Structures are given as C-alpha cells and as structure tokens.
Amino acid sequence: KGSLYLDDGDTFDYQKGAFLRLGATCEEAPGSVTVKTTAAEGSYTPWFTAVTFTVHGAPAAPKSVSVAGKATRDFKYDAAKKVVTVTTPYVKAGQAVTIAY
C-alpha cells in the first residue's frame, strides 16, 4: 500500500488543488496478484501518459495478465529476476492489473 504525490514543484498552486495523488494497493490471492491504483485526486495533469507496474517475486511465467479486466499480451516476464512488468496507459480514474500464475 502506498501513494504517489506530484505537483509542479515551483508554485503554491497545490494549495488550490493543483496536485496529483494516486493510491496504490497490492492484493495476493491463490495463484494471482492484483495491483490497483485509485482514482486521481487533485487537478494537476502529469507529464506522463503511461504507467509501468513492476511485480517482483513472480513464482512462474504468467498464465494470463489483464488490465481493467481485459486480457493483454503486452507484458514482459524476466525468469532470472522473477519480475513481471506491465505498461499501461495512464488512467485518471484508476485501474487494476491482475497477473495469474
């Protein structure tokens, strides 16, 4: 569980709501892991257009990966490091990535 906070870093506009805060959680279930981001708080528009989810400790190559409930093949698995990475478009409303083993 954690969060990401951003603002312009130059002004006090964050006091007027010009910031971005995203919450993140990770849930394990037998045979899968789901990483979720919450809906963005604040009015700050980030410079990035994509988010990379990196899951360490993958017990095996994923059988399936889904983003927002839809299957995707756009992921990488590093067997030597036991890491799965999934890059998705940034979604202000929040999103979920599920990896099934």
Side-chain angles (χ1 to χ4, degrees):
K1 177 177 166 179
S3 65
L4 170 70
Y5 174 87
L6 300 169
D7 62 34
D8 68 14
D10 291 323
T11 68
F12 291 102
D13 286 350
Y14 69 91
Q15 295 173 339
K16 300 173 189 170
F19 64 88
L20 173 76
R21 185 183 326 261
L22 292 174
T25 60
C26 182
E27 300 170 5
E28 284 188 275
S32 69
V33 62
T34 300
V35 181
K36 295 179 184 179
T37 60
T38 61
E41 297 175 48
S43 63
Y44 182 73
T45 301
W47 63 89
F48 54 84
T49 58
V51 177
T52 299
F53 294 83
T54 304
V55 177
H56 295 266
K63 290 182 181 175
S64 66
V65 175
S66 63
V67 176
K70 296 180 182 177
T72 182
R73 292 180 175 251
D74 191 20
F75 67 90
K76 294 179 183 162
Y77 172 63
D78 185 326
K81 294 181 181 178
K82 297 185 177 186
V83 171
V84 178
T85 56
V86 182
T87 300
T88 68
Y90 166 67
V91 177
K92 186 173 182 168
Q95 57 191 347
V97 173
T98 300
I99 302 167
Y101 302 101

mmCIF file with all atom_site columns, all heavy atoms in Angstrom, residues 5-28:
data_model
loop_
_atom_site.group_PDB
_atom_site.id
_atom_site.type_symbol
_atom_site.label_atom_id
_atom_site.label_alt_id
_atom_site.label_comp_id
_atom_site.label_asym_id
_atom_site.label_entity_id
_atom_site.label_seq_id
_atom_site.pdbx_PDB_ins_code
_atom_site.Cartn_x
_atom_site.Cartn_y
_atom_site.Cartn_z
_atom_site.occupancy
_atom_site.B_iso_or_equiv
_atom_site.pdbx_formal_charge
_atom_site.auth_seq_id
_atom_site.auth_comp_id
_atom_site.auth_asym_id
_atom_site.auth_atom_id
_atom_site.pdbx_PDB_model_num
ATOM 1   N N   . TYR A 1 5  ? 2.605  11.250  -5.036  1.00 0.00 ? 5  TYR A N   1
ATOM 2   C CA  . TYR A 1 5  ? 2.167  12.639  -4.986  1.00 0.00 ? 5  TYR A CA  1
ATOM 3   C C   . TYR A 1 5  ? 3.020  13.449  -5.950  1.00 0.00 ? 5  TYR A C   1
ATOM 4   O O   . TYR A 1 5  ? 4.243  13.307  -5.983  1.00 0.00 ? 5  TYR A O   1
ATOM 5   C CB  . TYR A 1 5  ? 2.331  13.214  -3.567  1.00 0.00 ? 5  TYR A CB  1
ATOM 6   C CG  . TYR A 1 5  ? 2.020  14.680  -3.505  1.00 0.00 ? 5  TYR A CG  1
ATOM 7   C CD1 . TYR A 1 5  ? 0.726  15.123  -3.296  1.00 0.00 ? 5  TYR A CD1 1
ATOM 8   C CD2 . TYR A 1 5  ? 3.017  15.635  -3.706  1.00 0.00 ? 5  TYR A CD2 1
ATOM 9   C CE1 . TYR A 1 5  ? 0.429  16.480  -3.276  1.00 0.00 ? 5  TYR A CE1 1
ATOM 10  C CE2 . TYR A 1 5  ? 2.736  16.985  -3.686  1.00 0.00 ? 5  TYR A CE2 1
ATOM 11  C CZ  . TYR A 1 5  ? 1.439  17.405  -3.470  1.00 0.00 ? 5  TYR A CZ  1
ATOM 12  O OH  . TYR A 1 5  ? 1.154  18.743  -3.461  1.00 0.00 ? 5  TYR A OH  1
ATOM 13  N N   . LEU A 1 6  ? 2.372  14.307  -6.740  1.00 0.00 ? 6  LEU A N   1
ATOM 14  C CA  . LEU A 1 6  ? 3.066  15.198  -7.671  1.00 0.00 ? 6  LEU A CA  1
ATOM 15  C C   . LEU A 1 6  ? 2.420  16.574  -7.646  1.00 0.00 ? 6  LEU A C   1
ATOM 16  O O   . LEU A 1 6  ? 1.206  16.692  -7.456  1.00 0.00 ? 6  LEU A O   1
ATOM 17  C CB  . LEU A 1 6  ? 2.961  14.680  -9.115  1.00 0.00 ? 6  LEU A CB  1
ATOM 18  C CG  . LEU A 1 6  ? 3.523  13.321  -9.446  1.00 0.00 ? 6  LEU A CG  1
ATOM 19  C CD1 . LEU A 1 6  ? 3.082  12.905  -10.839 1.00 0.00 ? 6  LEU A CD1 1
ATOM 20  C CD2 . LEU A 1 6  ? 5.022  13.353  -9.371  1.00 0.00 ? 6  LEU A CD2 1
ATOM 21  N N   . ASP A 1 7  ? 3.229  17.596  -7.849  1.00 0.00 ? 7  ASP A N   1
ATOM 22  C CA  . ASP A 1 7  ? 2.729  18.927  -8.169  1.00 0.00 ? 7  ASP A CA  1
ATOM 23  C C   . ASP A 1 7  ? 3.789  19.585  -9.046  1.00 0.00 ? 7  ASP A C   1
ATOM 24  O O   . ASP A 1 7  ? 4.763  18.939  -9.417  1.00 0.00 ? 7  ASP A O   1
ATOM 25  C CB  . ASP A 1 7  ? 2.374  19.737  -6.913  1.00 0.00 ? 7  ASP A CB  1
ATOM 26  C CG  . ASP A 1 7  ? 3.556  20.009  -5.987  1.00 0.00 ? 7  ASP A CG  1
ATOM 27  O OD1 . ASP A 1 7  ? 4.695  20.180  -6.475  1.00 0.00 ? 7  ASP A OD1 1
ATOM 28  O OD2 . ASP A 1 7  ? 3.340  20.054  -4.766  1.00 0.00 ? 7  ASP A OD2 1
ATOM 29  N N   . ASP A 1 8  ? 3.590  20.865  -9.384  1.00 0.00 ? 8  ASP A N   1
ATOM 30  C CA  . ASP A 1 8  ? 4.539  21.487  -10.315 1.00 0.00 ? 8  ASP A CA  1
ATOM 31  C C   . ASP A 1 8  ? 5.907  21.748  -9.696  1.00 0.00 ? 8  ASP A C   1
ATOM 32  O O   . ASP A 1 8  ? 6.878  21.994  -10.400 1.00 0.00 ? 8  ASP A O   1
ATOM 33  C CB  . ASP A 1 8  ? 3.964  22.756  -10.936 1.00 0.00 ? 8  ASP A CB  1
ATOM 34  C CG  . ASP A 1 8  ? 3.779  23.896  -9.942  1.00 0.00 ? 8  ASP A CG  1
ATOM 35  O OD1 . ASP A 1 8  ? 4.328  23.846  -8.823  1.00 0.00 ? 8  ASP A OD1 1
ATOM 36  O OD2 . ASP A 1 8  ? 3.061  24.853  -10.291 1.00 0.00 ? 8  ASP A OD2 1
ATOM 37  N N   . GLY A 1 9  ? 6.025  21.722  -8.380  1.00 0.00 ? 9  GLY A N   1
ATOM 38  C CA  . GLY A 1 9  ? 7.310  21.892  -7.725  1.00 0.00 ? 9  GLY A CA  1
ATOM 39  C C   . GLY A 1 9  ? 7.845  23.314  -7.707  1.00 0.00 ? 9  GLY A C   1
ATOM 40  O O   . GLY A 1 9  ? 8.928  23.551  -7.193  1.00 0.00 ? 9  GLY A O   1
ATOM 41  N N   . ASP A 1 10 ? 7.093  24.247  -8.286  1.00 0.00 ? 10 ASP A N   1
ATOM 42  C CA  . ASP A 1 10 ? 7.573  25.621  -8.378  1.00 0.00 ? 10 ASP A CA  1
ATOM 43  C C   . ASP A 1 10 ? 6.676  26.643  -7.669  1.00 0.00 ? 10 ASP A C   1
ATOM 44  O O   . ASP A 1 10 ? 7.142  27.704  -7.286  1.00 0.00 ? 10 ASP A O   1
ATOM 45  C CB  . ASP A 1 10 ? 7.698  26.049  -9.852  1.00 0.00 ? 10 ASP A CB  1
ATOM 46  C CG  . ASP A 1 10 ? 8.819  25.323  -10.566 1.00 0.00 ? 10 ASP A CG  1
ATOM 47  O OD1 . ASP A 1 10 ? 9.864  25.070  -9.941  1.00 0.00 ? 10 ASP A OD1 1
ATOM 48  O OD2 . ASP A 1 10 ? 8.639  25.018  -11.754 1.00 0.00 ? 10 ASP A OD2 1
ATOM 49  N N   . THR A 1 11 ? 5.396  26.342  -7.561  1.00 0.00 ? 11 THR A N   1
ATOM 50  C CA  . THR A 1 11 ? 4.444  27.328  -7.053  1.00 0.00 ? 11 THR A CA  1
ATOM 51  C C   . THR A 1 11 ? 3.696  26.772  -5.842  1.00 0.00 ? 11 THR A C   1
ATOM 52  O O   . THR A 1 11 ? 3.903  25.628  -5.441  1.00 0.00 ? 11 THR A O   1
ATOM 53  C CB  . THR A 1 11 ? 3.408  27.692  -8.137  1.00 0.00 ? 11 THR A CB  1
ATOM 54  O OG1 . THR A 1 11 ? 2.575  26.553  -8.368  1.00 0.00 ? 11 THR A OG1 1
ATOM 55  C CG2 . THR A 1 11 ? 4.084  28.123  -9.440  1.00 0.00 ? 11 THR A CG2 1
ATOM 56  N N   . PHE A 1 12 ? 2.823  27.589  -5.319  1.00 0.00 ? 12 PHE A N   1
ATOM 57  C CA  . PHE A 1 12 ? 1.955  27.161  -4.221  1.00 0.00 ? 12 PHE A CA  1
ATOM 58  C C   . PHE A 1 12 ? 0.573  26.748  -4.742  1.00 0.00 ? 12 PHE A C   1
ATOM 59  O O   . PHE A 1 12 ? -0.386 26.680  -3.977  1.00 0.00 ? 12 PHE A O   1
ATOM 60  C CB  . PHE A 1 12 ? 1.816  28.287  -3.187  1.00 0.00 ? 12 PHE A CB  1
ATOM 61  C CG  . PHE A 1 12 ? 3.093  28.541  -2.437  1.00 0.00 ? 12 PHE A CG  1
ATOM 62  C CD1 . PHE A 1 12 ? 3.905  29.617  -2.761  1.00 0.00 ? 12 PHE A CD1 1
ATOM 63  C CD2 . PHE A 1 12 ? 3.486  27.693  -1.414  1.00 0.00 ? 12 PHE A CD2 1
ATOM 64  C CE1 . PHE A 1 12 ? 5.093  29.853  -2.077  1.00 0.00 ? 12 PHE A CE1 1
ATOM 65  C CE2 . PHE A 1 12 ? 4.676  27.915  -0.719  1.00 0.00 ? 12 PHE A CE2 1
ATOM 66  C CZ  . PHE A 1 12 ? 5.475  28.997  -1.046  1.00 0.00 ? 12 PHE A CZ  1
ATOM 67  N N   . ASP A 1 13 ? 0.477  26.451  -6.046  1.00 0.00 ? 13 ASP A N   1
ATOM 68  C CA  . ASP A 1 13 ? -0.807 26.075  -6.646  1.00 0.00 ? 13 ASP A CA  1
ATOM 69  C C   . ASP A 1 13 ? -1.387 24.791  -6.039  1.00 0.00 ? 13 ASP A C   1
ATOM 70  O O   . ASP A 1 13 ? -2.585 24.559  -6.135  1.00 0.00 ? 13 ASP A O   1
ATOM 71  C CB  . ASP A 1 13 ? -0.683 25.923  -8.159  1.00 0.00 ? 13 ASP A CB  1
ATOM 72  C CG  . ASP A 1 13 ? -0.566 27.264  -8.870  1.00 0.00 ? 13 ASP A CG  1
ATOM 73  O OD1 . ASP A 1 13 ? -0.767 28.305  -8.212  1.00 0.00 ? 13 ASP A OD1 1
ATOM 74  O OD2 . ASP A 1 13 ? -0.271 27.263  -10.079 1.00 0.00 ? 13 ASP A OD2 1
ATOM 75  N N   . TYR A 1 14 ? -0.544 23.986  -5.415  1.00 0.00 ? 14 TYR A N   1
ATOM 76  C CA  . TYR A 1 14 ? -1.051 22.774  -4.765  1.00 0.00 ? 14 TYR A CA  1
ATOM 77  C C   . TYR A 1 14 ? -2.085 23.133  -3.693  1.00 0.00 ? 14 TYR A C   1
ATOM 78  O O   . TYR A 1 14 ? -2.997 22.363  -3.407  1.00 0.00 ? 14 TYR A O   1
ATOM 79  C CB  . TYR A 1 14 ? 0.082  21.941  -4.158  1.00 0.00 ? 14 TYR A CB  1
ATOM 80  C CG  . TYR A 1 14 ? 0.750  22.575  -2.964  1.00 0.00 ? 14 TYR A CG  1
ATOM 81  C CD1 . TYR A 1 14 ? 0.298  22.316  -1.681  1.00 0.00 ? 14 TYR A CD1 1
ATOM 82  C CD2 . TYR A 1 14 ? 1.832  23.445  -3.128  1.00 0.00 ? 14 TYR A CD2 1
ATOM 83  C CE1 . TYR A 1 14 ? 0.913  22.914  -0.580  1.00 0.00 ? 14 TYR A CE1 1
ATOM 84  C CE2 . TYR A 1 14 ? 2.443  24.032  -2.045  1.00 0.00 ? 14 TYR A CE2 1
ATOM 85  C CZ  . TYR A 1 14 ? 1.980  23.766  -0.770  1.00 0.00 ? 14 TYR A CZ  1
ATOM 86  O OH  . TYR A 1 14 ? 2.570  24.353  0.315   1.00 0.00 ? 14 TYR A OH  1
ATOM 87  N N   . GLN A 1 15 ? -1.969 24.327  -3.121  1.00 0.00 ? 15 GLN A N   1
ATOM 88  C CA  . GLN A 1 15 ? -2.921 24.772  -2.101  1.00 0.00 ? 15 GLN A CA  1
ATOM 89  C C   . GLN A 1 15 ? -4.302 25.029  -2.701  1.00 0.00 ? 15 GLN A C   1
ATOM 90  O O   . GLN A 1 15 ? -5.293 25.067  -1.987  1.00 0.00 ? 15 GLN A O   1
ATOM 91  C CB  . GLN A 1 15 ? -2.412 26.030  -1.395  1.00 0.00 ? 15 GLN A CB  1
ATOM 92  C CG  . GLN A 1 15 ? -1.157 25.779  -0.599  1.00 0.00 ? 15 GLN A CG  1
ATOM 93  C CD  . GLN A 1 15 ? -0.557 27.061  -0.030  1.00 0.00 ? 15 GLN A CD  1
ATOM 94  O OE1 . GLN A 1 15 ? -0.821 28.163  -0.508  1.00 0.00 ? 15 GLN A OE1 1
ATOM 95  N NE2 . GLN A 1 15 ? 0.261  26.900  1.005   1.00 0.00 ? 15 GLN A NE2 1
ATOM 96  N N   . LYS A 1 16 ? -4.341 25.189  -4.016  1.00 0.00 ? 16 LYS A N   1
ATOM 97  C CA  . LYS A 1 16 ? -5.607 25.414  -4.731  1.00 0.00 ? 16 LYS A CA  1
ATOM 98  C C   . LYS A 1 16 ? -6.084 24.131  -5.410  1.00 0.00 ? 16 LYS A C   1
ATOM 99  O O   . LYS A 1 16 ? -6.970 24.162  -6.250  1.00 0.00 ? 16 LYS A O   1
ATOM 100 C CB  . LYS A 1 16 ? -5.424 26.508  -5.779  1.00 0.00 ? 16 LYS A CB  1
ATOM 101 C CG  . LYS A 1 16 ? -5.005 27.842  -5.202  1.00 0.00 ? 16 LYS A CG  1
ATOM 102 C CD  . LYS A 1 16 ? -4.692 28.812  -6.316  1.00 0.00 ? 16 LYS A CD  1
ATOM 103 C CE  . LYS A 1 16 ? -4.050 30.076  -5.769  1.00 0.00 ? 16 LYS A CE  1
ATOM 104 N NZ  . LYS A 1 16 ? -3.523 30.919  -6.840  1.00 0.00 ? 16 LYS A NZ  1
ATOM 105 N N   . GLY A 1 17 ? -5.458 23.007  -5.078  1.00 0.00 ? 17 GLY A N   1
ATOM 106 C CA  . GLY A 1 17 ? -5.875 21.722  -5.646  1.00 0.00 ? 17 GLY A CA  1
ATOM 107 C C   . GLY A 1 17 ? -5.077 21.255  -6.840  1.00 0.00 ? 17 GLY A C   1
ATOM 108 O O   . GLY A 1 17 ? -5.376 20.211  -7.412  1.00 0.00 ? 17 GLY A O   1
ATOM 109 N N   . ALA A 1 18 ? -4.050 22.012  -7.247  1.00 0.00 ? 18 ALA A N   1
ATOM 110 C CA  . ALA A 1 18 ? -3.242 21.635  -8.411  1.00 0.00 ? 18 ALA A CA  1
ATOM 111 C C   . ALA A 1 18 ? -2.148 20.655  -7.983  1.00 0.00 ? 18 ALA A C   1
ATOM 112 O O   . ALA A 1 18 ? -0.962 20.971  -7.952  1.00 0.00 ? 18 ALA A O   1
ATOM 113 C CB  . ALA A 1 18 ? -2.649 22.856  -9.079  1.00 0.00 ? 18 ALA A CB  1
ATOM 114 N N   . PHE A 1 19 ? -2.581 19.466  -7.627  1.00 0.00 ? 19 PHE A N   1
ATOM 115 C CA  . PHE A 1 19 ? -1.675 18.378  -7.270  1.00 0.00 ? 19 PHE A CA  1
ATOM 116 C C   . PHE A 1 19 ? -2.277 17.088  -7.796  1.00 0.00 ? 19 PHE A C   1
ATOM 117 O O   . PHE A 1 19 ? -3.428 17.066  -8.241  1.00 0.00 ? 19 PHE A O   1
ATOM 118 C CB  . PHE A 1 19 ? -1.468 18.293  -5.741  1.00 0.00 ? 19 PHE A CB  1
ATOM 119 C CG  . PHE A 1 19 ? -2.722 17.947  -4.982  1.00 0.00 ? 19 PHE A CG  1
ATOM 120 C CD1 . PHE A 1 19 ? -3.076 16.620  -4.759  1.00 0.00 ? 19 PHE A CD1 1
ATOM 121 C CD2 . PHE A 1 19 ? -3.551 18.942  -4.507  1.00 0.00 ? 19 PHE A CD2 1
ATOM 122 C CE1 . PHE A 1 19 ? -4.233 16.300  -4.074  1.00 0.00 ? 19 PHE A CE1 1
ATOM 123 C CE2 . PHE A 1 19 ? -4.709 18.629  -3.815  1.00 0.00 ? 19 PHE A CE2 1
ATOM 124 C CZ  . PHE A 1 19 ? -5.051 17.303  -3.597  1.00 0.00 ? 19 PHE A CZ  1
ATOM 125 N N   . LEU A 1 20 ? -1.501 16.034  -7.748  1.00 0.00 ? 20 LEU A N   1
ATOM 126 C CA  . LEU A 1 20 ? -1.973 14.710  -8.155  1.00 0.00 ? 20 LEU A CA  1
ATOM 127 C C   . LEU A 1 20 ? -1.568 13.734  -7.063  1.00 0.00 ? 20 LEU A C   1
ATOM 128 O O   . LEU A 1 20 ? -0.414 13.701  -6.638  1.00 0.00 ? 20 LEU A O   1
ATOM 129 C CB  . LEU A 1 20 ? -1.326 14.281  -9.478  1.00 0.00 ? 20 LEU A CB  1
ATOM 130 C CG  . LEU A 1 20 ? -1.608 12.848  -9.915  1.00 0.00 ? 20 LEU A CG  1
ATOM 131 C CD1 . LEU A 1 20 ? -3.023 12.735  -10.460 1.00 0.00 ? 20 LEU A CD1 1
ATOM 132 C CD2 . LEU A 1 20 ? -0.615 12.394  -10.951 1.00 0.00 ? 20 LEU A CD2 1
ATOM 133 N N   . ARG A 1 21 ? -2.524 12.969  -6.591  1.00 0.00 ? 21 ARG A N   1
ATOM 134 C CA  . ARG A 1 21 ? -2.233 11.907  -5.628  1.00 0.00 ? 21 ARG A CA  1
ATOM 135 C C   . ARG A 1 21 ? -2.932 10.636  -6.115  1.00 0.00 ? 21 ARG A C   1
ATOM 136 O O   . ARG A 1 21 ? -4.124 10.644  -6.388  1.00 0.00 ? 21 ARG A O   1
ATOM 137 C CB  . ARG A 1 21 ? -2.723 12.258  -4.233  1.00 0.00 ? 21 ARG A CB  1
ATOM 138 C CG  . ARG A 1 21 ? -2.318 11.212  -3.197  1.00 0.00 ? 21 ARG A CG  1
ATOM 139 C CD  . ARG A 1 21 ? -2.851 11.512  -1.809  1.00 0.00 ? 21 ARG A CD  1
ATOM 140 N NE  . ARG A 1 21 ? -2.929 12.916  -1.500  1.00 0.00 ? 21 ARG A NE  1
ATOM 141 C CZ  . ARG A 1 21 ? -2.031 13.605  -0.779  1.00 0.00 ? 21 ARG A CZ  1
ATOM 142 N NH1 . ARG A 1 21 ? -0.978 12.994  -0.302  1.00 0.00 ? 21 ARG A NH1 1
ATOM 143 N NH2 . ARG A 1 21 ? -2.210 14.888  -0.541  1.00 0.00 ? 21 ARG A NH2 1
ATOM 144 N N   . LEU A 1 22 ? -2.135 9.587   -6.258  1.00 0.00 ? 22 LEU A N   1
ATOM 145 C CA  . LEU A 1 22 ? -2.648 8.271   -6.649  1.00 0.00 ? 22 LEU A CA  1
ATOM 146 C C   . LEU A 1 22 ? -2.336 7.289   -5.536  1.00 0.00 ? 22 LEU A C   1
ATOM 147 O O   . LEU A 1 22 ? -1.190 7.187   -5.097  1.00 0.00 ? 22 LEU A O   1
ATOM 148 C CB  . LEU A 1 22 ? -1.956 7.759   -7.921  1.00 0.00 ? 22 LEU A CB  1
ATOM 149 C CG  . LEU A 1 22 ? -2.210 8.469   -9.226  1.00 0.00 ? 22 LEU A CG  1
ATOM 150 C CD1 . LEU A 1 22 ? -1.308 7.896   -10.313 1.00 0.00 ? 22 LEU A CD1 1
ATOM 151 C CD2 . LEU A 1 22 ? -3.657 8.321   -9.628  1.00 0.00 ? 22 LEU A CD2 1
ATOM 152 N N   . GLY A 1 23 ? -3.329 6.565   -5.093  1.00 0.00 ? 23 GLY A N   1
ATOM 153 C CA  . GLY A 1 23 ? -3.105 5.497   -4.132  1.00 0.00 ? 23 GLY A CA  1
ATOM 154 C C   . GLY A 1 23 ? -2.818 4.205   -4.870  1.00 0.00 ? 23 GLY A C   1
ATOM 155 O O   . GLY A 1 23 ? -3.232 4.023   -6.022  1.00 0.00 ? 23 GLY A O   1
ATOM 156 N N   . ALA A 1 24 ? -2.107 3.292   -4.222  1.00 0.00 ? 24 ALA A N   1
ATOM 157 C CA  . ALA A 1 24 ? -1.791 2.004   -4.840  1.00 0.00 ? 24 ALA A CA  1
ATOM 158 C C   . ALA A 1 24 ? -1.888 0.905   -3.793  1.00 0.00 ? 24 ALA A C   1
ATOM 159 O O   . ALA A 1 24 ? -1.496 1.108   -2.637  1.00 0.00 ? 24 ALA A O   1
ATOM 160 C CB  . ALA A 1 24 ? -0.399 2.021   -5.444  1.00 0.00 ? 24 ALA A CB  1
ATOM 161 N N   . THR A 1 25 ? -2.434 -0.238  -4.195  1.00 0.00 ? 25 THR A N   1
ATOM 162 C CA  . THR A 1 25 ? -2.506 -1.407  -3.329  1.00 0.00 ? 25 THR A CA  1
ATOM 163 C C   . THR A 1 25 ? -2.112 -2.642  -4.117  1.00 0.00 ? 25 THR A C   1
ATOM 164 O O   . THR A 1 25 ? -2.157 -2.646  -5.351  1.00 0.00 ? 25 THR A O   1
ATOM 165 C CB  . THR A 1 25 ? -3.928 -1.634  -2.764  1.00 0.00 ? 25 THR A CB  1
ATOM 166 O OG1 . THR A 1 25 ? -4.840 -1.834  -3.849  1.00 0.00 ? 25 THR A OG1 1
ATOM 167 C CG2 . THR A 1 25 ? -4.386 -0.471  -1.906  1.00 0.00 ? 25 THR A CG2 1
ATOM 168 N N   . CYS A 1 26 ? -1.751 -3.669  -3.394  1.00 0.00 ? 26 CYS A N   1
ATOM 169 C CA  . CYS A 1 26 ? -1.390 -4.950  -3.990  1.00 0.00 ? 26 CYS A CA  1
ATOM 170 C C   . CYS A 1 26 ? -2.098 -6.035  -3.196  1.00 0.00 ? 26 CYS A C   1
ATOM 171 O O   . CYS A 1 26 ? -1.985 -6.086  -1.975  1.00 0.00 ? 26 CYS A O   1
ATOM 172 C CB  . CYS A 1 26 ? 0.129  -5.134  -3.934  1.00 0.00 ? 26 CYS A CB  1
ATOM 173 S SG  . CYS A 1 26 ? 0.691  -6.663  -4.697  1.00 0.00 ? 26 CYS A SG  1
ATOM 174 N N   . GLU A 1 27 ? -2.847 -6.886  -3.891  1.00 0.00 ? 27 GLU A N   1
ATOM 175 C CA  . GLU A 1 27 ? -3.589 -7.954  -3.242  1.00 0.00 ? 27 GLU A CA  1
ATOM 176 C C   . GLU A 1 27 ? -3.167 -9.296  -3.818  1.00 0.00 ? 27 GLU A C   1
ATOM 177 O O   . GLU A 1 27 ? -3.185 -9.486  -5.030  1.00 0.00 ? 27 GLU A O   1
ATOM 178 C CB  . GLU A 1 27 ? -5.089 -7.763  -3.461  1.00 0.00 ? 27 GLU A CB  1
ATOM 179 C CG  . GLU A 1 27 ? -5.633 -6.467  -2.929  1.00 0.00 ? 27 GLU A CG  1
ATOM 180 C CD  . GLU A 1 27 ? -7.066 -6.198  -3.363  1.00 0.00 ? 27 GLU A CD  1
ATOM 181 O OE1 . GLU A 1 27 ? -7.681 -7.065  -4.014  1.00 0.00 ? 27 GLU A OE1 1
ATOM 182 O OE2 . GLU A 1 27 ? -7.570 -5.109  -3.042  1.00 0.00 ? 27 GLU A OE2 1
ATOM 183 N N   . GLU A 1 28 ? -2.806 -10.213 -2.939  1.00 0.00 ? 28 GLU A N   1
ATOM 184 C CA  . GLU A 1 28 ? -2.467 -11.565 -3.368  1.00 0.00 ? 28 GLU A CA  1
ATOM 185 C C   . GLU A 1 28 ? -3.646 -12.487 -3.127  1.00 0.00 ? 28 GLU A C   1
ATOM 186 O O   . GLU A 1 28 ? -4.359 -12.349 -2.139  1.00 0.00 ? 28 GLU A O   1
ATOM 187 C CB  . GLU A 1 28 ? -1.264 -12.091 -2.589  1.00 0.00 ? 28 GLU A CB  1
ATOM 188 C CG  . GLU A 1 28 ? 0.047  -11.503 -3.033  1.00 0.00 ? 28 GLU A CG  1
ATOM 189 C CD  . GLU A 1 28 ? 1.214  -12.199 -2.372  1.00 0.00 ? 28 GLU A CD  1
ATOM 190 O OE1 . GLU A 1 28 ? 1.552  -11.811 -1.244  1.00 0.00 ? 28 GLU A OE1 1
ATOM 191 O OE2 . GLU A 1 28 ? 1.762  -13.127 -2.990  1.00 0.00 ? 28 GLU A OE2 1
#
